Amino acid sequence: MSDTVTIIDNKTGKQIECPVLYGTYGPPVIDTKSLYNELGMFTFDPGYLTTASCRSAITYLDGEKGILMHRGYPIEQLAEQSTYLEVCYLLLYGELPTREQYDGFRADLNKRNLVHEHLERFYTGYLYDAHPMAIMVGITGALSSYYHEALDINDPVDRDITAKRVIAKMPILAAHCYKHAMGHPFVYSRDDLGYVQNFLNMMFSLPNRAYVPNPTAIRALDLLMILHADHEQNASTSTVRLSGSAEANPFACIAAGIVTLWGRAHGGANEAVLRMLTEIKDPKNIPQYIAKAKDKDDPFRLMGFGHRVYKNYDPRATIIRKACHDLIDELNTVHQPLFEIAMQLEEIALKDDYFIERKLYPNVDFYSGIILKALGIPTSMYTVMFALARSAGWIAQWMEMMTDPDFRIGRPRQLYIGTEKRDYVPMEKRSQRHD
Ligand code: CMC
């Protein structure tokens, strides 16, 4: 097998040998770094369809086969046997923790599970009905103001503390968004509760009513968080890396990731799915929505369907779908009509040529909202839940990038298609032709 690819400029006859790099899995990658120096050309790949932006040892996914692994562990095994905190440790440090390491990690998180009281004032600047993702963007960005001067991003100890701060504080920021919307007092974090139970307690306990933990709900949310913890170089993770490559404050980088995640094409889809299922209202209306999704003149897309990488069933969706069934059996709060619509919609879409030809399958967001609804989490908080879980992946990817020997500022190039050079025209002499 050749270790290089020859690129020939047919116009000049000049040619270069580009090294081919091999990872553990996945397609080989052509190293085109010398292309500009040797041939004076860039590569063109809008949307990064075939561009590997970095080396990474954290997550691997094979979209054709529907495989997802973190540090070599298949997502199915992690979902079945692990916990979210264990997965956080795995993403950060590369190995599953021993009991001692896990206890130490938990103790380190507990040390950091308070936020400055002053942060409360940031929330009061938002209207009670502000979208929680808008608040998350601002509040997470505000966190950078507490950890800036003293934080040395080149110091591995500071980076490690930063990662622990992110994982410890994100549940607090997220729960406070909900409390702000409800007009309820903020609830402090508790060291004696597990990570997910503590989050639910901060969300739902009230001064006059304690939160009664439901083990099924805790396990379902833990599972959902495992499934959202990391997903390779997706748009929000790439945003975090790109911001981080400029040596920006890591909390501000996470805020940038939250901005990207909010988009409907990305994490915002979970909220959009539930709104869509509610709008469909009755299974008899499904064909009308399928027709809308297929109509090229209609911007509507079937939310929770399709993925840039998965051209097969998203393995996370398979797990969540089953979890929905289990929840229906165990909790009576699952809004079954929506689940029924979702299952019928999936069945109809998967038999439709439009979806078959384009390899459009349900993704992680298709069923997650149904679980969140069952847990009593309001629809506008769904993408916040995604952000909460994904912050572990974001900060793990940031940590990895900071020690990458290829670390340098991310700076894509472009194909300029604008006007050729021209001379400035004083305002009174300009024509109206561009109107
Ligand atoms: N409904 C209808 N048609 C679709 C859909 C959909 N959900 N997704 C893709 N298509 C069509 C698209 O119109 C195009 O058709 P054609 O070839 O005739 O022009 C073809 O499928 C390929 O689509 P694309 O836009 O080129 O694919 P992409 O890889 O750029 O986009 C996607 C991927 C996830 C943004 C897109 O599938 C989508 O918008 N899905 C709905 C939103 C969604 O569920 N997002 C969550 C993604 S997974 C979790 C996450 O990332 O956070």
Side-chain angles (χ1 to χ4, degrees):
M1 195 192 307
S2 165
D3 282 335
T4 61
V5 161
T6 308
I7 298 181
I8 305 171
D9 178 352
N10 287 328
K11 211 166 161 190
T12 62
K14 240 179 130 181
Q15 68 176 58
I16 59 162
E17 298 294 314
C18 290
V20 175
L21 312 176
Y22 296 92
T24 316
Y25 296 118
V29 168
I30 306 169
D31 178 347
T32 55
K33 281 202 292 290
S34 64
L35 198 62
Y36 181 64
N37 279 346
E38 300 289 331
L39 293 186
M41 291 183 188
F42 298 139
T43 53
F44 182 61
D45 183 20
Y48 311 114
L49 265 84
T50 59
T51 295
S53 61
C54 61
R55 284 187 177 84
S56 182
I58 300 176
T59 293
Y60 173 73
L61 67 98
D62 181 330
E64 299 297 329
K65 295 190 184 131
I67 292 173
L68 171 62
M69 297 191 288
H70 297 314
R71 303 283 192 186
Y73 294 102
I75 192 67
E76 292 77 9
Q77 291 184 27
L78 293 172
E80 178 89 27
Q81 301 175 57
S82 187
T83 64
Y84 176 70
L85 262 201
E86 248 198 336
V87 172
C88 289
Y89 188 98
L90 177 68
L91 294 173
L92 286 173
Y93 305 115
E95 296 296 336
L96 288 168
T98 61
R99 167 57 58 196
E100 204 185 344
Q101 287 167 330
Y102 182 79
D103 291 345
F105 185 54
R106 274 215 58 181
D108 281 351
L109 295 183
N110 283 348
K111 249 193 255 171
R112 297 174 173 89
N113 67 5
L114 285 174
V115 292
H116 198 293
E117 287 289 311
H118 191 267
L119 201 70
E120 269 189 42
R121 297 197 212 156
F122 284 84
Y123 286 90
T124 55
Y126 290 92
L127 286 176
Y128 72 94
D129 61 352
H131 195 287
M133 279 300 274
I135 304 181
M136 279 302 280
V137 170
I139 296 287
T140 312
L143 213 52
S144 63
S145 64
Y146 298 92
Y147 308 105
H148 191 60
E149 286 305 325
L151 169 70
D152 178 4
I153 55 169
N154 295 312
D155 178 351
V157 175
D158 272 18
R159 286 200 297 266
D160 188 59
I161 292 174
T162 298
K164 286 170 180 157
R165 279 187 180 136
V166 166
I167 294 170
K169 294 181 199 300
M170 287 302 278
I172 304 172
L173 304 192
H176 286 188
C177 281
Y178 174 67
K179 289 297 195 192
H180 174 69
M182 298 300 286
H184 292 161
F186 293 164
V187 175
Y188 286 103
S189 198
R190 276 177 43 188
D191 288 4
D192 59 318
L193 301 179
Y195 189 84
V196 168
Q197 186 180 344
N198 181 44
F199 170 73
L200 289 171
N201 189 64
M202 287 191 289
M203 284 279 287
F204 297 123
S205 71
L206 291 165
N208 57 334
R209 207 172 311 128
Y211 165 70
V212 183
N214 177 322
T216 306
I218 292 168
R219 180 61 200 147
L221 186 54
D222 197 84
L223 171 72
L224 214 58
M225 289 183 64
I226 291 173
L227 298 176
H228 285 83
D230 191 50
H231 208 234
E232 210 226 42
Q233 307 310 320
N234 56 82
S236 57
T237 302
S238 297
T239 303
V240 172
R241 277 187 178 256
L242 193 57
S243 309
S245 79
E247 303 190 21
N249 179 292
F251 296 95
C253 296
I254 299 290
I258 294 173
V259 172
T260 307
L261 186 78
W262 192 6
R264 274 160 49 104
H266 195 3
N270 60 7
E271 180 180 336
V273 168
L274 211 94
R275 295 199 189 284
M276 176 187 77
L277 295 175
T278 310
E279 198 183 295
I280 292 176
K281 210 168 159 186
D282 192 292
K284 72 175 188 318
N285 298 324
I286 291 174
Q288 181 192 327
Y289 281 81
I290 298 269
K292 264 167 79 66
K294 289 159 56 175
D295 181 355
K296 288 288 161 209
D297 296 325
D298 190 327
F300 174 78
R301 282 187 167 198
L302 215 52
M303 286 293 123
F305 259 75
H307 196 277
R308 168 59 60 79
V309 183
Y310 292 121
K311 300 302 167 200
N312 200 326
Y313 215 98
D314 180 339
R316 302 167 300 173
T318 314
I319 299 167
I320 297 181
R321 190 180 197 272
K322 182 177 175 307
C324 282
H325 275 292
D326 295 348
L327 266 185
I328 282 184
D329 293 343
E330 287 181 50
L331 292 180
N332 291 325
T333 52
V334 169
H335 197 55
Q336 203 157 350
L338 286 188
F339 187 42
E340 281 300 328
I341 295 173
M343 286 196 303
Q344 289 197 37
L345 180 60
E346 177 193 337
E347 200 184 324
I348 295 172
L350 291 182
K351 283 186 193 142
D352 191 296
D353 283 346
Y354 175 94
F355 292 87
I356 295 169
E357 280 160 18
R358 289 167 182 76
K359 299 186 178 170
L360 300 171
Y361 291 86
N363 58 49
V364 69
D365 292 319
F366 192 65
Y367 287 109
S368 61
I370 292 170
I371 294 195
L372 292 170
K373 190 172 178 67
L375 301 181
I377 291 169
T379 313
S380 62
M381 281 289 291
Y382 290 2
T383 316
V384 172
M385 301 304 297
F386 195 157
L388 169 57
R390 183 56 58 84
S391 49
W394 288 331
I395 203 65
Q397 299 267 352
W398 175 80
M399 296 258 281
E400 183 182 65
M401 182 192 68
M402 294 302 292
T403 54
D404 188 335
D406 283 336
F407 176 80
R408 53 175 53 190
I409 188 166
R411 179 40 170 108
R413 302 308 299 260
Q414 64 168 13
L415 178 66
Y416 175 70
I417 55 164
T419 321
E420 286 180 8
K421 181 174 179 274
R422 52 185 169 165
D423 291 324
Y424 182 84
V425 180
M427 197 178 280
E428 54 282 7
K429 292 194 179 157
R430 288 174 209 161
S431 70
Q432 299 290 315
R433 68 182 183 281
H434 55 273
D435 282 347

